[in-house]
């Protein structure tokens, strides 16, 4: 019913892609999502970038300049999600992206929305090094409880804990 409603439809497409039992149908949904990300004037770009990262849609790697431009653009949230999506294209960059997200958490002051998004991404990316995990944990514990980012930072620290840290 809402398949044409900008932004909301990306969530529908994500669910349809996840529910598809046929790889051809799944890839059709993936291409719709990548096309939405490719529309630089579209209202779906931020949601599409997030979905590309969540579903690990490597087809986006065919458009490196599109990813680069989104990362460098003025929309800070689109930039973050595009950074995460871009990490799918180069596994060697993933660790430095984690470091960039941790640096953002340390330096973004009152921008709790960006901090929450960065922490959410760290939680989903997982595989933090022990040093990264300690840095995240220290920041999460010092984030004011009233901050909207606090819960995201704490959950990222919990999910990313290495087995030896869980004890």
């Amino acid at each position: 019913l809402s398949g044409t409603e900008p932004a909301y439809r990306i969530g529908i497409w994500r669910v349809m892609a996840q529910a598809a039992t046929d790889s051809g149908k799944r890839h059709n949904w993936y291409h719709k999502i990548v096309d939405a990300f490719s529309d630089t004037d579209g209202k779906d770009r931020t949601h599409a970038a997030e979905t590309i990262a969540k579903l690990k849609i490597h087809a986006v790697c065919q458009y490196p300049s599109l990813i680069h431009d989104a990362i460098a653009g003025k929309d800070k949230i689109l930039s973050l999600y595009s950074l995460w999506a871009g990490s799918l294209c180069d596994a060697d960059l993933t660790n430095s992206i984690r470091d960039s997200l941790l640096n953002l958490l340390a330096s973004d002051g009152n921008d709790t929305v960006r901090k929450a998004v960065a922490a959410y991404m760290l939680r989903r990316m997982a595989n933090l090094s022990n040093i990264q995990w300690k840095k995240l944990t220290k920041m999460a514990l010092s984030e004011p409880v009233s901050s909207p980012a606090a819960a995201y930072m704490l959950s990222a620290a919990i999910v990313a804990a290495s087995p030896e840290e869980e004890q």
Side-chain angles (χ1 to χ4, degrees):
L1 294 174
S2 301
T4 59
E5 186 178 328
Y8 183 72
R9 66 183 175 176
I10 299 297
I12 294 170
W13 297 350
R14 180 174 60 234
V15 170
M16 296 301 291
Q18 290 172 312
T21 55
D22 174 81
S23 65
K25 289 180 182 178
R26 184 177 316 108
H27 288 291
N28 286 338
W29 292 113
Y30 285 1
H31 287 291
K32 286 178 78 86
I33 295 164
V34 171
D35 287 346
F37 176 70
S38 300
D39 181 359
T40 57
D41 295 322
K43 297 177 182 178
D44 296 328
R45 278 195 95 198
T46 300
H47 295 0
E50 176 186 12
T51 293
I52 287 166
K54 282 181 176 178
L55 296 181
K56 299 178 181 172
I57 302 174
H58 291 272
V60 75
C61 299
Q62 298 171 23
Y63 309 100
S65 63
L66 193 65
I67 295 168
H68 178 270
D69 291 348
I71 292 169
K74 293 180 182 178
D75 184 329
K76 292 180 178 185
I77 303 302
L78 173 61
S79 176
L80 281 174
Y81 284 130
S82 299
L83 186 66
W84 184 15
S87 75
L88 300 171
C89 306
D90 189 345
D92 293 337
L93 287 178
T94 303
N95 203 45
S96 66
I97 289 170
R98 286 187 194 99
D99 284 334
S100 295
L101 294 171
L102 287 166
N103 290 336
L104 184 147
L105 289 174
S107 66
D108 240 13
N110 294 329
D111 192 344
T112 57
V113 172
R114 277 190 70 194
K115 288 172 79 170
V117 170
Y120 172 77
M121 290 168 51
L122 284 168
R123 186 179 86 211
R124 293 292 304 254
M125 292 174 80
N127 299 322
L128 296 178
S129 70
N130 197 32
I131 292 170
Q132 291 168 329
W133 179 80
K134 286 180 179 181
K135 185 175 181 179
L136 172 61
T137 301
K138 183 178 179 180
M139 287 185 288
L141 292 173
S142 64
E143 185 73 11
V145 177
S146 61
S147 166
Y152 287 94
M153 293 170 72
L154 286 169
S155 67
I158 291 167
V159 169
S162 64
E164 55 275 1
E165 296 298 339
E166 292 176 359
Q167 300 179 25

